[in-house]
Amino acid sequence: MRADHPLKAVTLAHVRYQRGDQLGHFLAWVSLAPVFISLGGFVSHFYFRRELQGMFFGLGLLISHFIDELIKKSVQQARPEACALLEMCDSHVTTKWAALFLPWSSAVLTMYSRVYLGYHTAAQVFAGAALGTFLVGVWFWLVNSKLFCYFPLIEESALGRFFYVKDTSHISDVLKFEYDNARAARKGMAARKVMASKNS
């Protein structure tokens, strides 16, 4: 990029903003929030928690992504004219994930950033948000009404046992449950050490 070029990029994902525009710089990073949450959030959640609810949430996002891609190819709505300056945009509607990952305030800020930075029109942003809200509602209903009964089978399956997959949706307070069990396990280990030392 030439030094006098009016646009500057957040190089991690090549999201561009007007050079010298501090608000644009901030919103460029905000628009990447779904990427950070997708990559970091779900990978770390699977690795550390192995929760079926979280896994099905991630699966729902993947399904929604494929549906969005199908709609993008079918509708092929043009991006804003300013998007041509950004060099890194195609001519279709993109997926809006913020409402699925973050509180509504962050979702609105992300939506605004896409319009402000010139990557989408307001109509495209609202269409993406409406589609995302609809799909997450349908998936939430499907998982909690139809697929929920299969969670114990997945948990007890060979793969479930191998990967330590668990379902804690039946526990009202998971934080307290894990806290109490961690303390109980530590006390049990201490008691066994005491008994072993006495026997020796």
Side-chain angles (χ1 to χ4, degrees):
M1 183 186 299
R2 300 193 315 270
D4 60 345
H5 199 289
L7 297 177
K8 188 175 180 180
V10 171
T11 54
L12 178 66
H14 218 76
V15 177
R16 295 191 173 191
Y17 59 94
Q18 290 289 338
R19 185 181 297 276
D21 184 354
Q22 296 301 316
L23 177 59
H25 187 197
F26 168 72
L27 292 176
W29 284 104
V30 168
S31 70
L32 294 174
V35 177
F36 293 134
I37 296 172
S38 297
L39 295 178
F42 281 107
V43 171
S44 61
H45 184 276
F46 173 78
Y47 186 79
F48 291 108
R49 300 295 305 168
R50 318 290 174 93
E51 287 278 358
L52 279 171
Q53 285 281 358
M55 294 178 189
F56 272 83
F57 181 71
L59 177 61
L61 290 177
L62 289 176
I63 294 172
S64 179
H65 176 72
F66 286 120
I67 293 174
D68 289 342
E69 288 296 319
L70 178 62
I71 292 175
K72 284 169 60 177
K73 292 179 180 179
S74 301
V75 175
Q76 296 188 358
Q77 184 180 10
R79 299 267 190 140
E81 292 182 4
C83 196
L85 294 173
L86 302 172
E87 299 178 1
M88 293 296 292
C89 60
D90 56 30
S91 59
H92 302 159
V93 180
T94 194
T95 305
K96 292 281 123 218
W97 292 112
L100 305 179
F101 288 98
L102 299 173
W104 285 104
S105 58
S106 297
V108 171
L109 189 59
T110 303
M111 292 164 62
Y112 175 71
S113 74
R114 303 305 290 176
V115 177
Y116 182 90
L117 295 171
Y119 282 93
H120 298 90
T121 64
Q124 289 171 341
V125 165
F126 282 112
L131 177 63
T133 302
F134 171 76
L135 291 177
V136 76
V138 171
W139 185 250
F140 180 84
W141 172 82
L142 182 64
V143 170
N144 290 281
S145 299
K146 303 297 182 181
L147 302 178
F148 180 78
C149 59
Y150 297 104
F151 280 12
L153 295 177
I154 298 173
E155 190 178 38
E156 295 298 327
S157 67
L159 283 176
R161 288 175 174 270
F162 180 80
F163 288 107
Y164 301 113
V165 173
K166 64 181 180 292
D167 171 32
T168 58
S169 57
H170 57 285
I171 301 173
S172 59
D173 191 340
V174 177
L175 185 63
K176 185 177 186 303
F177 176 82
E178 292 183 344
Y179 174 74
D180 289 342
N181 278 275
R183 292 183 67 230
R186 178 170 50 79
K187 290 179 179 179
M189 291 177 62
R192 286 192 294 271
K193 287 182 179 179
V194 171
M195 292 295 295
S197 62
K198 288 182 178 180
N199 293 333
S200 60

